[in-house]
Amino acid sequence: MTPSDRVTARVAELLDTRPDVLAEAADDFGHLVRRPPLGVLRPRSAAEVRDALVYAGPRGIPVAARAGGHSLYGQGQAPGGVVLDLSALDAVGPVTGDRVAVRAGALWRDVLAATGPHGLTPPVLTDYLGAGVGGVLSAGGLGGASHRHGLVADSVLELEVVTGAGEHLVCSPDRHGDLFDTVLAGLGQVAVIVRATLALTPAPSTVRRYCLSYRSLDTCLADQRLLATAPRFDHLEGQARPAEGTADAWTYLIEAVAPHQGPTPPDDRALLADLAFDSAEITDLGHAEFAHRVAADEELLRATGEWLHPHPWLNLLLPEDTAASVVTGVLTDPGFRDLRENGLVLLYPLLTRALRAPMFRRPRGEVVYLLALLRTAAPGAAGPMVAANRGAYAFARARGAVAYPVNALPMTPADWRAHYGDRWDGLVRAKAVHDPYGVLGGGHGMTG
């Protein structure tokens, strides 16, 4: 038997083609598109990931990696191809000094469970800890600490990957640096992440959370800018919420969190100096309790069945000079009126100098704002919401915004070229080298 025959035999042995398995792999958290693969492969090692790509590449069979299954618009699907279910590659640790090695199929809650007993945490965590490690690193990953520490992906020290060409490589800033830079926040276009080594930072035992309310959007954005550029808070997020008793008005919220170490509490007066909020609520929480704050919302949505409803979400990054006009335009758009009843609007600042992964696209300026429109649709009713997303994207892009590409948003190849701008040609060259058969990342629609 030739080496090629052995690879074919191993892939055939592992490939699962049962109808229920294919149906699950044809869906994702967005529940908006359904594209069944030919089969699902659950690799237990990097060698089995390599076998899948060595087999699929020359045959032009699409391959997609899936961990938590939380893509929104089929990005983790492989129509007519092979889905790599990485859930068996879920080992975390051991924690060694200020770092931890994590397999790509682990969930972020698993990472925190392993690092927490050591008093350590990744510098940046996403709000939802049920997402897979590989998927978040491929998107970049944003969270409340991003104004200080950048992307989740910016804490990666080393990657173990298998390229679309079937090469099994370890890369870092000093070893295959171009590949390392293209994989992080690279949307899975050139390689499948198998393992990541993450930097860790000390975790506080307790945090103090300040929820600051504003009636004025301009005032809220100005205070968010002040807090993003001043080293007061470790965590900084915000929201827009419907104003009670007023048909179209909104109120705005800053959520700012400071570590609470030892017997001395944070100095509230100093932390809140020069801010123009209308009211404030202050609470103390354990670090783990705060990190897992979204878990209760997930339990409720699962209990009501809404977790399985369509999620036509849209995430945009807005330049500072047009942020207020884009937020106002979107929140008053009739296509987003349902946000008042069944959605969540996140709005918080980021510093572009902290967002280091080269493939991560950001708007112009020192300070930019994430606007996340997180909606739930009734089954079969999401079409107009996706169309509204497309309109909002065009509206915002004309004002200098870019997409944070974790979206229910149809994107054409021309859109992607515009999105990557001067990085596009480099991505094309990297793909020609590392994914010469073009089998990876097709769910994003970069190639039509």
Side-chain angles (χ1 to χ4, degrees):
M1 182 180 290
T2 68
S4 178
D5 290 338
R6 284 194 290 271
V7 168
T8 299
R10 287 195 295 268
V11 171
E13 180 182 358
L14 294 172
L15 202 62
D16 193 336
T17 59
R18 289 175 293 173
D20 59 325
V21 172
L22 300 183
E24 181 179 0
D27 198 8
D28 56 23
F29 181 68
H31 306 302
L32 293 165
V33 296
R34 298 187 61 85
R35 300 183 294 196
L38 290 174
V40 174
L41 193 149
R42 300 179 185 85
R44 296 157 296 188
S45 66
E48 290 182 353
V49 174
R50 180 182 181 278
D51 284 346
L53 285 162
V54 167
Y55 175 82
R59 294 169 175 81
I61 298 173
V63 177
R66 175 188 178 109
H70 285 93
S71 60
L72 292 167
Y73 206 67
Q75 292 92 341
Q77 298 174 18
V82 174
V83 170
L84 298 178
D85 180 346
L86 303 181
S87 57
L89 293 173
D90 61 350
V92 179
V95 175
T96 306
D98 60 355
R99 62 187 58 195
V100 63
V102 182
R103 292 289 184 175
L107 307 182
W108 287 99
R109 64 169 69 106
D110 304 328
V111 178
L112 201 59
T115 64
H118 297 268
L120 298 169
T121 180
V124 183
L125 289 167
T126 59
D127 291 342
Y128 178 60
L129 300 181
V133 166
V136 170
L137 297 182
S138 293
L142 292 171
S146 289
H147 71 292
R148 295 194 58 179
H149 300 291
L151 305 169
V152 178
D154 289 328
S155 68
V156 175
L157 303 173
E158 183 180 88
L159 289 172
E160 179 184 0
V161 304
V162 178
T163 70
E167 290 187 285
H168 179 198
L169 298 170
V170 174
C171 55
S172 69
D174 301 319
R175 183 180 183 186
H176 303 295
D178 289 345
L179 177 61
F180 181 82
D181 286 342
T182 307
V183 172
L184 291 174
L187 303 179
Q189 292 298 307
V190 298
V192 174
I193 298 173
V194 176
R195 175 186 55 83
T197 300
L198 308 174
L200 300 174
T201 191
S205 58
T206 309
V207 300
R208 177 162 288 185
R209 178 167 63 182
Y210 302 80
C211 292
L212 313 176
S213 295
Y214 296 78
R215 289 186 293 270
S216 164
L217 172 60
D218 288 338
T219 303
C220 181
L221 293 177
D223 278 4
Q224 285 192 347
R225 187 190 205 286
L226 186 157
L227 294 179
T229 55
R232 299 190 194 183
F233 293 101
D234 287 356
H235 173 104
L236 182 60
E237 291 194 7
Q239 295 182 23
R241 294 179 174 178
E244 294 183 7
T246 306
D248 296 316
W250 293 78
T251 59
Y252 305 93
L253 177 75
I254 291 177
E255 178 188 55
V257 178
H260 190 337
Q261 299 280 32
T264 304
D267 184 341
D268 297 341
R269 185 182 298 273
L271 289 173
L272 301 180
D274 304 319
L275 301 180
F277 53 87
D278 297 305
S279 62
E281 295 182 7
I282 304 174
T283 55
D284 289 332
L285 300 166
H287 176 262
E289 180 184 4
F290 176 71
H292 290 276
R293 65 196 178 280
V294 177
D297 296 329
E298 178 183 352
E299 291 179 9
L300 176 62
L301 293 173
R302 287 188 183 276
T304 62
E306 293 176 81
W307 191 259
L308 300 178
H309 288 187
H311 298 105
W313 291 3
L314 180 65
N315 290 275
L316 300 169
L317 296 170
L318 314 179
E320 183 178 15
D321 59 350
T322 62
S325 65
V326 172
V327 171
T328 301
V330 171
L331 295 184
T332 57
D333 184 337
F336 289 91
R337 187 174 297 277
D338 58 282
L339 276 169
R340 303 184 67 86
E341 287 79 36
N342 66 358
L344 173 67
V345 180
L346 301 181
L347 178 63
Y348 61 85
L350 305 162
L351 296 182
T352 52
R353 66 173 179 266
L355 308 173
R356 299 184 299 278
M359 295 306 298
F360 187 81
R361 310 312 294 153
R362 73 278 284 168
R364 62 182 181 270
E366 177 192 12
V367 177
V368 299
Y369 293 86
L370 173 70
L371 175 64
L373 309 169
L374 312 182
R375 299 191 281 176
T376 300
M385 295 184 185
V386 174
N389 285 353
R390 182 68 204 185
Y393 172 61
F395 172 75
R397 190 169 70 174
R399 289 155 182 80
V402 301
Y404 172 48
V406 181
N407 285 319
L409 177 67
M411 295 272 283
T412 67
D415 290 329
W416 284 114
R417 286 193 293 272
H419 173 83
Y420 280 107
D422 60 4
R423 292 281 177 180
W424 177 255
D425 288 343
L427 176 59
V428 170
R429 289 193 296 270
K431 196 165 181 67
V433 172
H434 298 295
D435 183 28
Y437 305 107
V439 296
L440 292 176
H444 289 276
M446 291 190 194
T447 57

